[in-house]
């Protein structure tokens, strides 16, 4: 384990503990017949024994580094042992007599744009000391950049510095949400324009993406609340904590908005599926009723009876077909007058779906109502005509009055 201590002007310390990666044993391909003839069994045994010895030496050195680090920080030795195998979120708040409030645990975060690239961030936090353990070197490099080092130097306490680091941890989070928003917009456009039946799979895929980001966001929000519980007013008035508070509020608002949009898409897809199912069932029912006379006639005249009406007549088939057509037409007209056919037997147009029906499709009563609304009553027209005639005659009367002496 590599240990690096950083001390800042205000007096707080940051101890960066980087777990050393174990070098795996070299795997070589199986030797061929020519190579096996050249190599002896003794050389192979010596080589494997040397590799095992180097591996054991590296492990012993790593264990020695860990033991030395535990001696430097005996109060968090148990926490270091747990961090070696922990890959789940954990946040614990304690109030100790020696160091005051302490927050420690593990925070799982996504370090790149790939959803599988989730790394642990182990931390031990007091008012004047921050200890972090990293499995991946990418996050320490980002936290020790020039811009971030300047921000950390302006922090007065270790908790304030931790929340300044949270801004760096949340950078992939913002990028991921931006990509999620773009994919969600494409899904909404596809649902509006194409309205395919297979869109429900894509909707659930977006839902799983949102659950992934929500699962990463909840521990950060929990850490935010735990810090308020532990350090209270000393931390809440700092600039870094206020900034991270506004950022978390903004992210939480986005997550709620995206969840509402996905729920709306699911409800719309469910409603569309129900409408399609109802239309299909209504259509099948109507066609079943329309072909019912032909079915009954075919069943009766296909029976094995000796005496059937019009069986031996030359015009019997034509008469039976005519009766079937007439009864089918009567049933169709009856269904149409009842309004049970609706738009099932006619193609739907966008104007009818949105309620903007063209004037040519309006009924006579509706057109008469529109004409009556657009034109004033007859009595009103007559009053207007009389008023205009009176106004036009007034100048003539005035002229005639002026000519009189």
């Amino acid at each position: 384990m590599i240990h690096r201590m950083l001390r800042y002007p205000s007096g707080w310390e940051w101890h960066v503990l980087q777990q050393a990666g174990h070098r795996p044993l070299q795997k070589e391909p199986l030797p061929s017949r020519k190579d096996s003839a050249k190599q002896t069994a003794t050389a192979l045994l010596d080589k494997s024994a040397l590799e095992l010895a180097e591996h054991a030496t590296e492990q012993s050195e790593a264990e020695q580094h860990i033991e030395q680090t535990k001696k430097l920080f005996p109060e968090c030795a148990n926490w270091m042992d747990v961090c070696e195998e922990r890959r789940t979120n954990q946040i614990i708040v304690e109030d100790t007599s020696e160091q005051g409030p302490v927050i420690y645990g593990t925070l799982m975060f996504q370090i790149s744009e790939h959803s599988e690239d989730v790394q642990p961030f182990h931390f031990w936090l007091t008012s004047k000391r921050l200890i972090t353990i990293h499995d991946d070197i990418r996050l320490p490099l980002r936290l020790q950049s020039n811009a971030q080092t300047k921000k950390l130097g302006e922090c007065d306490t270790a908790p304030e510095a931790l929340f300044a680091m949270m801004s760096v941890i949340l950078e992939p989070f913002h990028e991921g949400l931006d990509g999620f928003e773009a994919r969600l917009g494409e899904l909404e456009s596809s649902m509006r324009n194409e309205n395919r039946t297979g869109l429900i799979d894509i909707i659930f895929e977006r839902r799983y993406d949102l659950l992934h980001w929500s699962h990463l966001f909840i521990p950060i929000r929990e850490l935010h609340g735990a810090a308020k519980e532990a350090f209270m007013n000393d931390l809440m008035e700092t600039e870094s904590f206020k900034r991270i508070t506004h950022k978390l509020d903004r992210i939480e608002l986005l997550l709620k908005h995206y969840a509402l949009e996905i729920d709306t898409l699911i409800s719309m897809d469910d409603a569309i599926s129900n409408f399609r199912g109802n239309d299909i069932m209504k259509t099948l029912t109507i066609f079943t009723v329309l072909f019912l006379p032909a079915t009954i006639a075919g069943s009766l005249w296909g029976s094995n009876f000796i005496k059937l009406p019009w069986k031996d007549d030359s015009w019997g088939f034509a008469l039976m077909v005519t009766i079937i057509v007439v009864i089918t037409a009567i049933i169709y007209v009856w269904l149409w007058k009842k309004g049970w056919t609706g738009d099932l037997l006619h193609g739907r147009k966008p104007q009818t779906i949105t309620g903007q029906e063209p004037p040519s499709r309006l009924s006579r009563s509706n057109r008469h109502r529109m004409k009556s609304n657009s034109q004033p009553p007859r009595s009103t027209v007559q009053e207007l005509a009389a008023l205009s005639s009176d106004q036009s005659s007034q100048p003539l009367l005035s002229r005639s009055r002026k000519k009189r002496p």
Side-chain angles (χ1 to χ4, degrees):
M1 181 176 290
I2 303 173
H3 176 211
R4 183 183 182 188
M5 185 188 73
L6 301 174
R7 187 184 297 273
Y8 292 90
S10 57
W12 66 275
E13 299 175 353
W14 178 26
H15 297 268
V16 185
L17 303 179
Q18 179 67 43
Q19 293 184 358
H22 300 291
R23 185 179 62 183
L25 297 176
Q26 295 181 357
K27 295 182 180 180
E28 296 181 356
L30 295 175
S32 61
R33 294 182 179 180
K34 295 181 180 180
D35 295 336
S36 61
K38 295 180 182 179
Q39 294 178 351
T40 60
T42 306
L44 293 175
L45 291 175
D46 293 340
K47 185 176 180 180
S48 60
L50 181 61
E51 290 178 352
L52 290 173
E54 291 179 356
H55 184 64
T57 303
E58 290 179 357
Q59 287 184 345
S60 61
E61 291 178 356
E63 292 176 356
Q64 290 177 1
H65 286 298
I66 294 174
E67 293 299 329
Q68 291 177 1
T69 307
K70 290 180 180 180
K71 291 179 180 179
L72 290 175
F73 309 105
E75 66 276 3
C76 55
N78 295 329
W79 167 72
M80 291 182 183
D81 294 334
V82 174
C83 290
E84 293 181 2
E85 300 298 332
R86 179 173 292 280
R87 293 298 180 270
T88 57
N89 294 294
Q90 183 188 35
I91 298 173
I92 299 175
V93 181
E94 291 184 358
D95 191 2
T96 61
S97 57
E98 298 179 355
Q99 300 179 356
V102 177
I103 302 177
Y104 62 92
T106 303
L107 188 68
M108 302 298 296
F109 71 99
Q110 184 173 323
I111 197 170
S112 64
E113 59 183 5
H114 302 288
S115 59
E116 298 83 7
D117 192 6
V118 178
Q119 299 294 331
F121 176 68
H122 311 287
F123 62 93
W124 176 281
L125 179 65
T126 62
S127 59
K128 291 296 181 182
R129 180 180 295 172
L130 173 62
I131 304 174
T132 59
I133 300 177
H134 306 274
D135 296 343
D136 197 301
I137 199 173
R138 287 175 290 177
L139 181 60
L141 293 177
R142 294 178 185 177
L143 295 177
Q144 298 178 32
S145 62
N146 295 329
Q148 192 64 24
T149 302
K150 182 179 179 181
K151 293 181 180 179
L152 295 178
E154 297 174 355
C155 297
D156 297 330
T157 59
E160 183 181 356
L162 176 63
F163 285 99
M165 297 176 184
M166 287 293 108
S167 300
V168 180
I169 293 176
L170 288 174
E171 287 179 358
F173 202 96
H174 288 289
E175 295 176 359
L177 285 181
D178 292 339
F180 173 79
E181 184 178 359
R183 293 190 297 271
L184 185 61
E186 294 176 359
L187 174 60
E188 292 175 353
S189 300
S190 300
M191 190 169 186
R192 182 174 182 178
N193 298 328
E194 301 177 8
N195 196 12
R196 303 191 308 270
T197 57
L199 286 176
I200 189 64
D201 297 332
I202 305 177
I203 294 174
F204 280 115
E205 185 179 352
R206 298 289 84 81
R207 184 63 173 173
Y208 289 134
D209 293 342
L210 185 62
L211 288 176
H212 169 74
W213 292 114
S214 299
H215 181 71
L216 294 178
F217 177 74
I218 290 174
I220 299 176
R221 183 56 110 176
E222 183 182 359
L223 176 60
H224 181 266
K228 290 195 293 185
E229 176 186 353
F231 303 103
M232 301 181 68
N233 296 330
D234 296 337
L235 176 63
M236 295 174 62
E237 299 300 327
T238 59
E239 182 180 357
S240 299
F241 189 81
K242 290 180 180 179
R243 288 183 179 275
I244 199 66
T245 300
H246 295 307
K247 184 174 291 188
L248 293 179
D249 292 340
R250 180 162 56 92
I251 293 174
E252 186 175 7
L253 182 62
L254 288 176
L255 292 177
K256 290 181 180 179
H257 178 70
Y258 295 152
L260 182 61
E261 285 190 4
I262 292 178
D263 292 340
T264 303
L265 291 178
I266 293 176
S267 301
M268 290 175 62
D269 187 82
D270 189 17
I272 291 171
S273 300
N274 292 333
F275 284 132
R276 285 175 175 171
N278 293 335
D279 287 348
I280 291 172
M281 294 303 298
K282 290 178 181 178
T283 304
L284 293 177
T285 303
I286 290 173
F287 277 101
T288 302
V289 173
L290 290 178
F291 285 99
L292 184 61
T295 304
I296 296 175
S299 300
L300 293 177
W301 267 263
S303 303
N304 294 323
F305 295 121
I306 297 175
K307 293 183 179 181
L308 289 175
W310 315 315
K311 177 182 178 181
D312 299 329
D313 298 329
S314 58
W315 43 267
F317 177 77
L319 179 62
M320 184 180 64
V321 171
T322 303
I323 293 173
I324 292 174
V325 171
V326 170
I327 295 175
T328 302
I330 292 173
I331 292 175
Y332 175 76
V333 172
W334 178 69
L335 292 174
W336 178 72
K337 287 186 176 181
K338 287 287 186 179
W340 292 349
T341 58
D343 298 324
L344 298 177
L345 301 180
H346 305 282
R348 291 186 179 183
K349 295 183 179 181
Q351 293 85 356
T352 59
I353 296 175
T354 57
Q356 299 177 354
E357 195 172 3
S360 59
R361 295 292 302 276
L362 295 177
S363 60
R364 294 181 179 179
S365 60
N366 292 334
R367 282 183 285 182
H368 178 71
R369 189 180 298 109
M370 290 179 62
K371 290 180 180 180
S372 61
N373 292 332
S374 60
Q375 296 179 358
R378 187 175 181 181
S379 59
T380 307
V381 174
Q382 293 176 356
E383 292 178 358
L384 293 175
L387 181 62
S388 60
S389 61
D390 294 340
Q391 291 177 355
S392 59
S393 61
Q394 286 180 359
L396 297 175
L397 294 174
S398 61
R399 291 177 183 176
S400 61
R401 289 176 182 175
K402 288 181 181 180
K403 290 180 180 180
R404 292 177 182 180

